[in-house]
Amino acid sequence: MNSYKHLQGQAFTTPVSAHSKMSDIITGSPIALLIITRFGIPLGFGDKSIGQLCSEYGVDTRTLLLLVNSSILDGYDPSTEQIASVHLDSLIAYLSNSHAYFLDFRLPLIRQRLLSAISNCPQELAYVIRRFFDEYVEEVHKHMNYEDRTVFPYARRLAAGERDEHYNIGIFSRRHDQIELKITELKNLLIKYYTAPSGYELTSVLHDIFSVEIDLAAHNYIEDVIFTPYIQYLESKTA
């Protein structure tokens, strides 16, 4: 009997390299598709390798490989040497593009579909769901805007050898409060307390919420295991 489970992606057991074909990585683990898009690498690359595409589009190969391997390999633990080899501009470009993906595309699209799905439910319930979603999005905006306006400029100054005596990456870590928990609450609200008639439209939106929850967790993971340790490394160099 044929199984559909291969369509969910394969479990990579060894790190990919600059010689790996990009198409093989994406078909094997779809999460890599979002990563290369955020690095500005478009589709239609045929059988080109990761190294070839990074060279073609001006992406630091080691940084992209570190993000891909950290995302597709269970238990992958970047070494100190790998963290130190990160190209800051490439990493910040990736993180900034991730912010734009969530704030300008993914979350507005989910909101649009959510409002359509609950348009026939009681007005009071629709109001609560809409308010809860909008408050969640506002928290995401605050979190990501703080990174764009405070954390990333600090990182660039640090890389240039300018130490800020009034700021350190530990402040960011304390503010980095796992924003994906908010969307988990929205998901639970719909599953447990949405009593109006529902159908494919609402369950499709709920599936989107599950998906973006995973995307946000992956985004935060990259910040926790790669970006923050790299900034700590820079701080130690300028101490």
Side-chain angles (χ1 to χ4, degrees):
M1 180 181 295
N2 291 330
S3 171
Y4 68 90
K5 292 187 180 296
H6 68 285
L7 297 175
Q8 297 175 326
Q10 68 189 63
F12 285 87
T13 57
T14 57
V16 301
S17 72
H19 302 292
S20 302
K21 288 184 180 180
M22 184 69 84
S23 58
D24 291 342
I25 305 307
I26 291 174
T27 55
S29 183
I31 193 172
L33 178 59
L34 283 177
I35 293 176
I36 70 158
T37 301
R38 293 167 186 172
F39 272 112
I41 299 176
L43 299 176
F45 37 69
D47 290 326
K48 291 180 181 178
S49 69
I50 291 176
Q52 288 175 309
L53 289 167
C54 286
S55 177
E56 184 174 342
Y57 291 99
V59 176
D60 182 72
T61 305
R62 289 179 297 183
T63 302
L64 184 144
L65 285 173
L66 183 57
L67 267 64
V68 168
N69 284 319
S70 296
S71 300
I72 69 175
L73 291 171
D74 288 337
Y76 186 80
D77 188 17
S79 67
T80 302
E81 292 75 17
Q82 287 175 310
I83 295 296
S85 72
V86 163
H87 186 270
L88 183 62
D89 285 342
S90 287
L91 181 56
I92 289 180
Y94 168 85
L95 294 174
S96 296
N97 288 336
S98 296
H99 292 175
Y101 167 77
F102 288 115
L103 299 179
D104 301 334
F105 174 73
R106 196 75 171 99
L107 292 174
L109 182 60
I110 290 177
R111 186 183 192 276
Q112 178 183 347
R113 299 192 64 211
L114 177 63
L115 294 184
S116 175
I118 64 174
S119 60
N120 293 323
C121 80
Q123 185 175 359
E124 296 82 2
L125 180 58
Y127 171 77
V128 170
I129 294 172
R130 183 176 66 251
R131 186 182 68 178
F132 196 97
F133 184 83
D134 288 345
E135 288 176 352
Y136 160 73
V137 171
E138 179 61 26
E139 286 301 313
V140 176
H141 268 278
K142 289 179 182 178
H143 178 88
M144 293 184 172
N145 286 340
Y146 172 77
E147 294 177 5
D148 290 335
R149 297 173 182 176
T150 301
V151 181
F152 296 163
Y154 167 74
R156 288 193 173 98
R157 292 194 302 271
L158 199 62
E162 302 175 25
R163 185 64 187 266
D164 187 339
E165 297 299 329
H166 303 290
Y167 192 85
N168 61 73
I169 199 62
I171 297 173
F172 164 70
S173 298
R174 289 192 292 272
R175 291 177 60 107
H176 198 201
D177 54 0
Q178 301 301 313
I179 56 175
E180 71 268 14
L181 292 178
K182 287 284 187 178
I183 207 165
T184 301
E185 294 174 359
L186 174 63
K187 177 186 66 178
N188 290 334
L189 172 66
L190 292 172
I191 293 172
K192 295 181 179 181
Y193 304 111
Y194 186 86
T195 56
S198 59
Y200 290 128
E201 188 175 17
L202 182 60
T203 54
S204 178
V205 174
L206 188 56
H207 188 275
D208 287 343
I209 292 173
F210 273 98
S211 177
V212 81
E213 178 186 17
I214 295 172
D215 289 346
L216 279 166
H219 173 78
N220 285 343
Y221 179 79
I222 293 299
E223 291 185 335
D224 290 340
V225 304
I226 297 176
F227 177 73
T228 297
Y230 179 68
I231 302 308
Q232 290 171 334
Y233 162 74
L234 291 181
E235 288 176 340
S236 69
K237 288 180 61 178
T238 59

